[in-house]
Amino acid sequence: RRSPTRCACRRGVASRREKMRTATSAVGALVLAWALVIDAAALRNIATRGAVTMQASASVAVPVPPPPVSSAASSSASAVDALTARLNEQYQREAVIDFGKSQFVGVSGRLSAFTAAYVRVRQKWNAEGDAEAGDAEAGGSRGDALRAEIAALGPVAVKVGQTLSQRPDILPKDVCEALKTLQTGNTPFADADAWRVIADETGWDGPIAPGLAPPGCARPDGAPLFAKLSASPIAAASLGQVYRGTLADGGAEVAVKVQRPSARRQILLDAAAIYAVCALTERAGLVGDIDLLKILDLVFSEVVRELDFTNEATNAAAFERSLAHLGYATVPQVVPGLVTDKWIVTEWVYGRHLD
C-alpha cells in the first residue's frame, strides 16, 4: 500500500513538472509571449504618441562616412542598411516580408534555430523536474539554460528575454532573475568588429586608441581617435555593447556604444520569420480576435528605430527637456560629432543599475 505521505510527495513533483512544462511553452512561443506581455496601455502609447524627429539635435554633428568598399558582402550590408533606413522613416510590414522572401535560406535557418533552442530548453527543464523526483541529476539551472539559448538567438530573442525578466507572473522568479542579466551582461561580439564599425562610421584610418587598431588599419602608427579605450566591453545588450574611454582632446571620460554588425540583418530575418508564423497562427484561429500582425508592426517598428543611434541622441535631448522642470534630473550628454546610426559616444556617468 502507498502511504499518504508518499502519494502527496509524488503529487507535488507532478505539480512542479506541470509548472515547468507550462513555463517552457512560453519559451516555445517567444514572440507570441513578447507581444502578449506588453501592456495594452503601452501599446496604445506606442501607437498614438507623436513621431519623434529622427534627425540628431543641432548640437550633434554627423561625420562624413568613408567611401564604400566594393564587394559582395558590403553590397549585401548596404542593401540591409538601406532597407533599415527606409523602415526607420516609415515602417512597412510588406517590405519586411519581401525581404524575407528574398532570403528564404536565412529565414528558414532562423526558424530552425528558434525551434532547436526550444527543444533544448524543454529537455533541460524536464530533466530538472526528473532530478527533483530523484530520477536524475540536473546540471546548471533552468534559468541559466534559458538565458544561454536566448543570448545565442540574437537581438530579437534577447529583447523577449529582457521583457520576460520583468514578468514573474509568467515565468518563475528564479528564471526571471537569470534573464535580467541580458540587460547588461549579454554575450558580446568580437572587439575587432567593434573597431571596424567605428572606423567605417568615422572614416578614421588610424588606431581607435593606443594599441587598438581595426583590421586593415591604413595607419596603425597614426594618431588615435581616443586617448584611452577599454580593450573589452564593460556591458553588452541586445543591439550593441559599450566601452569606457577617454577623449583625445580634453581627457573627458566617455561611454562608447557600438552596434552589433549582425544586428540589422538578423532582426529583419527574425521579423520576416515571425510574421510568417503569426500569420499561420491567425489563419488557424489559435489566437481568437487578437490581431498579432498589428501588434508585431508596433513592436518591430520600435525595434527598427532603436537600430538608428541618432534617434537615441534625439530622444535623450527630448527626455532631458521634459525633465527640466524638476531641476535635478539630467541625462548623459552626447559628444558632438561622435554619433551616427551605428555608434554613439556620451559622457561617462557614475551610478548604479536599477533593479
Side-chain angles (χ1 to χ4, degrees):
R1 296 177 59 184
R2 296 179 179 177
S3 69
T5 302
R6 187 174 182 181
C7 291
C9 180
R10 288 184 177 274
R11 285 196 298 272
V13 170
S15 175
R16 285 193 294 272
R17 283 182 174 176
E18 185 58 33
K19 287 182 179 179
M20 287 185 178
R21 293 190 180 98
T22 300
T24 52
S25 294
V27 181
L30 274 173
V31 178
L32 295 182
W34 186 22
L36 295 177
V37 299
I38 298 177
D39 297 331
L43 290 177
R44 285 196 296 271
N45 288 338
I46 294 174
T48 59
R49 73 188 183 193
V52 179
T53 178
M54 294 178 295
Q55 299 171 341
S57 59
S59 63
V60 178
V62 179
V64 177
V69 178
S70 177
S71 68
S74 64
S75 176
S76 175
S78 296
V80 169
D81 288 344
L83 176 57
T84 303
R86 200 173 94 201
L87 294 173
N88 190 20
E89 294 177 0
Q90 182 177 5
Y91 187 81
Q92 296 177 327
R93 180 197 310 166
E94 295 75 14
V96 176
I97 294 175
D98 288 342
F99 174 80
K101 290 178 180 178
S102 70
Q103 302 286 326
F104 178 78
V105 174
V107 171
S108 299
R110 296 305 295 159
L111 287 171
S112 298
F114 272 88
T115 302
Y118 167 71
V119 171
R120 287 192 293 269
V121 171
R122 184 64 180 264
Q123 290 174 341
K124 170 65 180 177
W125 284 35
N126 287 343
E128 190 161 321
D130 291 338
E132 290 186 11
D135 299 330
E137 290 293 331
S141 73
R142 56 187 179 178
D144 292 337
L146 178 57
R147 181 206 174 282
E149 293 292 348
I150 287 178
L153 285 172
V156 171
V158 170
K159 285 192 170 295
V160 174
Q162 290 171 341
T163 301
L164 292 176
S165 72
Q166 306 298 325
R167 298 300 301 263
D169 56 323
I170 292 178
L171 291 177
K173 186 175 179 180
D174 64 301
V175 176
C176 290
E177 288 300 316
L179 294 183
K180 285 182 180 179
T181 60
L182 293 171
Q183 297 173 11
T184 58
N186 191 25
T187 304
F189 60 92
D191 297 311
D193 292 341
W195 314 149
R196 185 73 268 163
V197 170
I198 295 174
D200 290 344
E201 290 300 296
T202 60
W204 195 263
D205 62 356
I208 304 303
L212 302 178
C217 179
R219 295 189 307 115
D221 297 326
L225 182 61
F226 292 94
K228 293 181 182 178
L229 194 65
S230 58
S232 58
I234 60 166
S238 58
L239 300 181
Q241 56 198 36
V242 178
Y243 297 85
R244 183 175 181 176
T246 303
L247 293 179
D249 54 346
E253 281 192 289
V254 292
V256 181
K257 180 179 178 181
V258 185
Q259 190 173 115
R260 292 179 180 272
S262 62
R264 298 184 174 204
R265 183 174 185 274
Q266 199 165 61
I267 285 174
L268 292 175
L269 289 176
D270 286 354
I274 292 165
Y275 274 127
V277 171
C278 288
L280 292 174
T281 302
E282 283 191 346
R283 291 194 191 104
L286 300 178
V287 291
D289 296 330
I290 299 175
D291 193 335
L292 285 180
L293 296 181
K294 284 190 176 180
I295 293 176
L296 291 175
D297 288 344
L298 293 171
V299 172
F300 281 119
S301 64
E302 292 302 306
V303 173
V304 168
R305 284 186 55 78
E306 287 187 49
L307 286 170
D308 186 341
F309 287 173
T310 63
N311 288 331
E312 183 173 332
T314 301
N315 292 339
F319 184 61
E320 185 173 39
R321 288 194 299 270
S322 72
L323 299 177
H325 65 283
L326 296 177
Y328 58 82
T330 186
V331 301
Q333 299 299 302
V334 176
V335 179
L338 296 183
V339 57
T340 69
D341 57 340
K342 294 182 180 179
W343 87 310
I344 183 171
V345 180
T346 67
E347 66 173 321
W348 181 266
V349 176
Y350 289 89
R352 63 181 178 86
H353 185 256
L354 295 177
D355 294 329

